[in-house]
């Protein structure tokens, strides 16, 4: 794995948006480092992979839960609150961030009709 990833790649890894990555950078949950010179002498900022891994140890996003369960994110967005799993409060249009602590146990004990075997490595 690389030591740093651009913001767009970070958004893809997290299963979120660039707005979510910017929010996590401003709150200090992800760290940004300057990369070497790029075209026209500008430096390319990149998110450190250590901070991405650190964030994913305790948190996950709705996109990653959707990938792990095989369910659409629209359905999960309405089903998870019924299971008493609420997203962390974030600004509007930032995305849904969940704590991983109870998520796995609650989903396994729920009556959600999963499309296949669960892939917890993706969460």
């Amino acid at each position: 794995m690389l030591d740093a990833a651009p913001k767009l790649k970070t958004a893809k890894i997290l299963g979120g948006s660039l707005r979510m990555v910017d929010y996590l950078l401003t709150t200090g949950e992800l760290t940004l480092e300057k990369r070497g010179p790029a075209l026209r002498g500008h430096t390319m900022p990149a998110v450190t992979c250590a901070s991405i891994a650190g964030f994913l140890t305790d948190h996950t996003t709705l996109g990653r839960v959707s990938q792990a369960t095989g369910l659409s994110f629209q359905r999960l967005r309405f089903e998870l609150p019924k299971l008493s799993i609420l997203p962390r409060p974030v600004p509007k249009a930032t995305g849904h961030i969940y704590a991983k602590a109870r998520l796995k146990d609650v989903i396994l004990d729920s009556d959600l009709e999963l499309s296949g075997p669960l892939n917890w490595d993706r969460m």
Side-chain angles (χ1 to χ4, degrees):
M1 186 175 214
L2 300 172
D3 58 343
K7 286 183 181 181
L8 191 58
K9 177 77 171 174
T10 302
K12 186 175 180 179
I13 292 169
L14 294 179
S17 64
L18 285 174
R19 187 174 287 178
M20 178 186 291
V21 172
D22 287 335
Y23 170 75
L24 294 173
L25 287 168
T26 58
T27 60
E29 296 182 69
L30 296 177
T31 55
L32 198 64
E33 73 175 15
K34 300 284 183 179
R35 304 287 314 256
L39 298 174
R40 300 183 187 165
H42 297 287
T43 56
M44 296 282 295
V47 180
T48 61
C49 289
S51 67
I52 296 171
F55 175 77
L56 289 176
T57 56
D58 298 330
H59 302 88
T60 190
T61 61
L62 186 64
R64 290 181 68 87
V65 175
S66 176
Q67 291 172 356
T69 59
L71 299 172
S72 71
F73 73 92
Q74 291 98 343
R75 180 167 177 212
L76 285 171
R77 200 171 120 212
F78 294 107
E79 292 291 335
L80 290 179
K82 293 178 186 175
L83 300 172
S84 300
I85 299 175
L86 299 176
R88 191 172 86 183
V90 295
K92 186 177 180 179
T94 301
H96 292 80
I97 301 172
Y98 296 93
K100 276 188 176 179
R102 297 184 41 238
L103 194 60
K104 187 174 180 179
D105 296 331
V106 171
I107 288 178
L108 288 175
D109 293 339
S110 72
D111 58 349
L112 289 174
E113 298 173 9
L114 304 175
S115 62
L118 296 176
N119 187 353
W120 292 110
D121 296 333
R122 298 185 101 181
M123 194 170 10

